[in-house]
Amino acid sequence: MKTFTVGSTTVAVIEDGSFFMAPDFLTGPVEPGTGERDEHGRACLPVLSFFVTGSSTVLVDAGLGPDPEGALRSIATPLGIDQQRMGLAGNAGLGPALAGCGVGYDAIDVVCISHLHADHMGWLVDVDGSPVFGNAEVLLPRGDYEYFVVGQLPQVPRAACDALRAMVESGRAELFDGEMAVSREVTAVPAPGHTPGHTIFAVTGDGERAMIAGDAMYCPAQLNELDVGGRHDIDPALARRTREMIAREAAEHRTRTVGGHFAGGCTARLIDGCVVIG
Ligand SMILES: [Zn+2]
């Protein structure tokens, strides 16, 4: 498992499966993966969660979950993406990876979600609808909750909608908006465009800073290819402004950036206008 540090804070990059994607899901000629393609020319992208160990244990995003095929289908079908263009490549690994970090689901203090697409919240509820993280404070972006759950859009399957609604109504999950401290080390920062409530998370430690960018960026090259977005961004102009904000921060502060699907779970910096991996 990959880890990186932000001062004395450690971030473990956890792969909870991966999927193949036709590379034209990006709006420009940017390589989304490592350059390797399957027989259909599709790139393989990991589904990443981030386990931050500091004054408390924080998990950013919750993977594909116990039904990874169903999770992918719930994203692909409403967008009209057929199976030739998107498919499951690898299965779930969040639980074993957390165990490798020495923690179980019940030891997570906070689970915060970048947006309510099924590949980012899969393990919030188990197949029987019960919460997976028994002791965690679960934080959901209000803009996405209102858009997908209250709006009953098919990107969040009905069973997941019902489970999220039950978690919110019982106080097991809280809705947030605006910039907000998640823990001493993690801050939620609004980053809309991909979805209405899309959020990125700044991790700080000892004067250093990193940015967990969710689906605001799919690959490091987008740090200096700001016109290249995701074809399925709900508000492309807003998504571009969000990429600008991330790139400005990366350039001015040499902030390390990692997205929810960066190939190999790599991090990237923008140094003198060049994208530097690591
Ligand atoms: Zn995603």
Side-chain angles (χ1 to χ4, degrees):
M1 187 194 328
K2 259 205 163 96
T3 61
F4 64 91
T5 55
V6 188
S8 57
T9 305
T10 301
V11 181
V13 183
I14 294 173
E15 187 173 324
D16 190 59
S18 52
F19 58 86
F20 294 116
M21 195 75 176
D24 66 356
F25 80 96
L26 292 174
T27 61
V30 160
E31 175 55 56
T34 57
E36 288 173 40
R37 299 283 172 87
D38 73 354
E39 69 273 21
H40 303 293
R42 302 176 302 184
C44 183
L45 301 180
V47 176
L48 302 175
S49 296
F50 303 89
F51 177 56
V52 185
T53 313
S55 55
S56 52
T57 51
V58 177
L59 185 70
V60 175
D61 281 348
L64 280 165
D67 177 19
E69 293 205 17
L72 269 199
R73 217 170 25 246
S74 76
I75 303 167
T77 306
L79 295 172
I81 304 173
D82 65 39
Q83 293 223 315
Q84 282 299 318
R85 306 177 66 73
M86 188 180 193
L88 193 67
N91 269 317
L94 181 63
L98 287 175
C101 296
V103 295
Y105 292 127
D106 286 349
I108 307 292
D109 296 318
V110 186
V111 180
C112 46
I113 303 296
S114 65
H115 63 297
L116 292 185
H117 279 158
D119 57 323
H120 295 262
M121 60 164 186
W123 287 104
L124 286 185
V125 288
D126 217 332
V127 278
D128 62 359
S130 62
V132 169
F133 302 96
N135 296 316
E137 179 183 12
V138 175
L139 302 174
L140 309 174
R142 182 185 300 278
D144 273 22
Y145 184 83
E146 287 175 353
Y147 184 74
F148 290 113
V149 178
V150 177
Q152 297 190 340
L153 296 193
Q155 285 94 328
V156 178
R158 172 52 65 91
C161 249
D162 291 346
L164 291 181
R165 199 187 286 269
M167 288 174 74
V168 169
E169 286 173 358
S170 67
R172 274 185 166 273
E174 285 173 42
L175 304 178
F176 70 91
D177 44 25
E179 188 162 319
M180 187 188 74
V182 170
S183 69
R184 200 183 300 162
E185 296 83 11
V186 180
T187 303
V189 180
H194 181 64
T195 61
H198 187 275
T199 300
I200 62 178
F201 296 91
V203 182
T204 53
D206 305 311
E208 291 184 32
R209 190 168 156 96
M211 199 65 93
I212 297 172
D215 281 5
M217 290 188 181
Y218 286 92
C219 59
Q222 284 176 284
L223 278 169
N224 59 5
E225 295 281 357
L226 297 179
D227 287 334
V228 177
R231 200 166 293 285
H232 306 295
D233 290 341
I234 288 171
D235 185 334
L238 195 51
R240 192 193 190 287
R241 286 205 290 282
T242 283
R243 289 194 296 279
E244 269 173 14
M245 180 257 289
I246 294 169
R248 199 179 318 119
E249 154 117 16
E252 287 174 4
H253 305 292
R254 297 199 168 188
T255 301
R256 180 179 261 168
T257 302
V258 57
H261 303 290
F262 276 18
C266 69
T267 61
R269 295 176 195 264
L270 196 52
I271 299 174
D272 299 331
C274 295
V275 176
V276 176
I277 303 298

